[in-house]
């Protein structure tokens, strides 16, 4: 692929960052350094894998994920933008927007002094994306890899009129057995329960999973933790630019219907999504910039 050669000449970092052909022929950026390693598909600027050096993967990536142009990848860190969930007025538009299924362009790379590797992508607007969202916007995704992974989504309103944005880092985390984990940090938050028609409820204690869970938590803080006794670790999620968090596990029936989880795939994953959703939508003034970011790290129990 000539494109890969050109990308490596422009943004490659010897021994740290290389562009290559990935699964399904998708172009990927392979990042590795003393702290950890990650693989990022250029489609969707989609972090597919991340593991700190010598540790188990932090992100879950389905063994049955479909890697094809225009198809969202089941796992990793899908970018939901410029809307989260169903489009507010046009049901024909794709759920979770289009950012995760279109091509992005690397625009900068850097070997940081602290040993981490940084790669910046910008979404490539096309007539198809402009047809779905005519409002002039710029979207960048800055990915920083070391012993932790940081994903920072920066939206700039390029027009003279305000834009209302909803979005999420729809992150899939690898767990030993979802039935044994607990998610801490959402205690006493209200949430909208999508499984029960978006009924508004109140979270008592840590979140546990024993059936389909699909909840938008409101007023969430900037530190959430997934306590996983099976892997004897805590996954720490430190966020900024977000006051809402989504917790999702499709459970058995819905996972089977989706077709890219595989047998019992739902048991090894949980989505804890850093979002601007529901009441937490963002009104972007003309020229304004909003950054939604999350840092993922682990601590052993
Ligand atoms: O974030 C949870 C959710 O909105 C669920 O309702 C489910 O639709 C999930 O996202 C996955 O959506 P996808 O379009 O990636 O299959």
């Amino acid at each position: 692929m000539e494109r890969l050669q050109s990308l490596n000449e422009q943004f490659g970092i010897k021994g740290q960052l290389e562009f290559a052909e990935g699964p399904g022929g998708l172009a990927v950026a392979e990042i590795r350094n003393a702290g950890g390693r990650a693989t990022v598909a250029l489609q969707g600027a989609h972090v597919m894998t991340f593991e700190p050096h010598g540790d188990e993967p932090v992100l879950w990536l389905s063994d049955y994920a479909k890697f094809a142009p225009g198809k969202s990848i089941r796992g990793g860190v899908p970018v939901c933008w410029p809307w989260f969930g169903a489009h507010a007025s046009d049901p024909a538009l794709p759920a979770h927007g289009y950012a995760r299924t279109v091509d992005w362009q690397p625009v900068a790379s850097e070997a940081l002094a602290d040993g981490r590797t940084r790669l910046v992508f910008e979404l490539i607007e096309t007539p198809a994306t402009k047809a779905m969202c005519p409002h002039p916007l710029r979207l960048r995704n800055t990915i920083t890899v070391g012993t932790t992974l940081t994903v920072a989504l920066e939206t700039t309103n390029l027009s003279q009129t305000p834009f209302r944005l909803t979005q999420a880092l729809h992150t899939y985390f690898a767990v030993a057995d979802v039935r044994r984990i607990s998610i801490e940090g959402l205690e006493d938050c209200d949430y909208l329960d999508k499984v029960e028609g978006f009924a508004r409820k109140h979270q008592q204690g840590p979140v546990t999973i024993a059936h389909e869970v699909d909840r938008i938590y409101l007023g969430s803080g900037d530190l959430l933790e997934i306590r996983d006794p099976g892997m004897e670790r805590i996954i720490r999620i430190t966020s900024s630019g977000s006051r809402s968090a989504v917790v999702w596990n499709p459970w058995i029936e819905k996972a089977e219907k989706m077709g890219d989880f595989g047998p019992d795939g739902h048991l090894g994953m949980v989505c804890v999504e850093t979002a601007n959703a529901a009441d937490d939508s963002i009104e972007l003034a003309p020229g304004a910039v909003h950054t939604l970011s999350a840092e993922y790290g682990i601590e052993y129990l």
Side-chain angles (χ1 to χ4, degrees):
M1 257 178 158
E2 277 178 28
R3 184 186 184 198
L4 292 176
Q5 185 180 340
S6 165
L7 287 170
N8 280 314
E9 286 164 5
Q10 290 185 77
F11 303 109
I13 302 174
K14 189 169 172 45
Q16 278 195 42
L17 166 57
E18 184 181 6
F19 295 89
E21 186 174 327
L26 295 179
V28 298
E30 293 173 341
I31 299 169
R32 62 187 177 285
N33 55 45
R37 58 189 204 175
T39 309
V40 186
L42 271 62
Q43 175 177 281
H46 190 136
V47 183
M48 299 195 294
T49 68
F50 165 62
E51 57 249 15
H53 184 63
D55 285 312
E56 292 296 315
V58 174
L59 304 180
W60 179 84
L61 181 66
S62 173
D63 293 338
Y64 296 77
K66 296 178 177 62
F67 299 98
K71 171 76 186 143
S72 62
I73 299 166
R74 184 68 64 194
V77 187
V79 169
C80 301
W81 185 95
W83 61 84
F84 175 79
H87 186 271
S89 57
D90 184 350
L93 291 176
H96 293 326
Y98 53 81
R100 61 181 175 164
T101 54
V102 300
D103 216 5
W104 293 52
Q105 172 64 33
V107 294
S109 64
E110 187 180 359
L112 300 180
D114 63 6
R116 294 182 299 164
T117 310
R118 178 160 291 162
L119 180 54
V120 185
F121 291 87
E122 186 168 317
L123 182 140
I124 300 170
E125 293 282 13
T126 64
T129 64
K130 298 309 290 172
M132 290 186 272
C133 180
H135 199 103
L137 300 167
R138 187 184 74 191
L139 179 65
R140 286 190 168 176
N141 191 7
T142 299
I143 295 158
T144 309
V145 177
T147 54
T148 66
L149 167 70
T150 300
V151 182
L153 208 53
E154 178 196 271
T155 301
T156 303
N157 183 359
L158 300 176
S159 84
Q160 296 309 311
T161 56
F163 180 75
R164 183 158 292 281
L165 171 68
T166 58
Q167 60 184 346
L169 299 172
H170 194 297
T171 307
Y172 291 73
F173 294 98
V175 296
D177 181 341
V178 75
R179 297 166 297 193
R180 296 183 57 207
I181 69 166
S182 59
I183 301 166
E184 298 169 3
L186 295 169
E187 296 82 353
D188 293 326
C189 286
D190 282 355
Y191 65 89
L192 304 178
D193 187 346
K194 190 170 173 182
V195 176
E196 292 189 24
F198 290 94
R200 194 175 182 110
K201 300 181 180 177
H202 189 77
Q203 181 63 38
Q204 304 281 1
V207 180
T208 54
I209 312 266
H211 48 71
E212 181 186 353
V213 169
D214 193 348
R215 303 173 182 173
I216 301 175
Y217 283 86
L218 305 170
S220 52
D222 54 13
L223 175 60
L224 301 180
E225 294 186 336
I226 303 169
R227 183 174 288 268
D228 182 353
M231 292 185 88
E232 296 180 347
R233 73 181 185 182
I234 289 171
I235 296 175
R236 179 160 293 133
I237 303 165
T238 309
S239 61
S240 67
S242 160
R243 303 302 304 159
S244 50
V246 179
V247 175
W248 178 59
N249 185 287
W251 211 244
I252 302 163
E253 196 177 318
K254 188 154 284 182
E256 277 170 7
K257 276 186 194 150
M258 289 187 157
D260 52 5
F261 272 81
D264 288 338
H266 68 287
L267 290 178
M269 55 70 66
V270 65
C271 281
V272 180
E273 305 162 36
T274 302
N276 297 121
D279 313 5
D280 179 34
S281 65
I282 301 291
E283 168 96 1
L284 265 185
V289 180
H290 178 81
T291 300
L292 173 70
S293 85
E295 181 177 24
Y296 308 124
I298 58 170
E299 179 191 319
Y300 279 94
L301 291 174

